[in-house]
Amino acid sequence: QVQLVESGGGLVQAGGSLRLSCAASGRIFSTHVMGWYRQVPGKERELVATITSGSATNYADSVKGRFTISRDNAKNTVYLQMNNLKPDDTAVYFCNADVTTVARSRTNFWGQGTQVTVSS
């Protein structure tokens, strides 16, 4: 009923930049907190950044000052601008959205993930 589609991942050298996008579509009445998480094999998924519908943001300490999260509420889209990337940023990045559907059900959804690889 709701789909999150991520794009923008890829391979980049250390110090480079990437911009991730995540578009939510389907039977959406409204979106609330949207965010990005990441996961490497053998480790738990961890928060990268979140943003509320009012654009209040929260970042993991490891990305503060390098990553910027933003959103376009009209498009139900969230972005993650990643600058000064480090090899430790290598992971699969997942989009997450807290959504109220047209049926007035509030549910949390995940995207399929996009690979970010930073070479040294």
Side-chain angles (χ1 to χ4, degrees):
Q1 54 179 337
V2 174
Q3 300 81 38
L4 302 182
V5 178
E6 300 126 332
S7 61
L11 172 64
V12 65
Q13 288 187 332
S17 299
L18 284 174
R19 188 187 193 219
L20 305 183
S21 299
C22 171
S25 63
R27 301 179 62 77
I28 298 171
F29 177 74
S30 63
T31 55
H32 311 288
V33 176
M34 301 183 78
W36 291 94
Y37 293 73
R38 65 188 182 187
Q39 189 170 24
V40 298
K43 292 190 176 181
E44 291 188 356
R45 192 170 296 185
E46 65 175 12
L47 178 145
V48 176
T50 60
I51 185 167
T52 69
S53 56
S55 295
T57 59
N58 179 54
Y59 294 93
D61 287 343
S62 60
V63 307
K64 284 180 180 176
R66 300 187 298 121
F67 291 10
T68 302
I69 190 170
S70 61
R71 64 188 287 168
D72 183 332
N73 289 330
K75 297 181 179 179
N76 289 324
T77 299
V78 63
Y79 307 95
L80 186 68
Q81 178 66 43
M82 305 185 292
N83 297 329
N84 191 21
L85 282 159
K86 303 176 181 180
D88 284 349
D89 295 318
T90 296
V92 177
Y93 284 69
F94 294 90
C95 175
N96 180 271
D98 185 25
V99 173
T100 295
T101 68
V102 295
R104 301 303 191 270
S105 172
R106 187 156 177 170
T107 311
N108 193 264
F109 294 91
W110 290 94
Q112 80 285 356
T114 185
Q115 177 70 46
V116 171
T117 302
V118 184
S119 64
S120 58

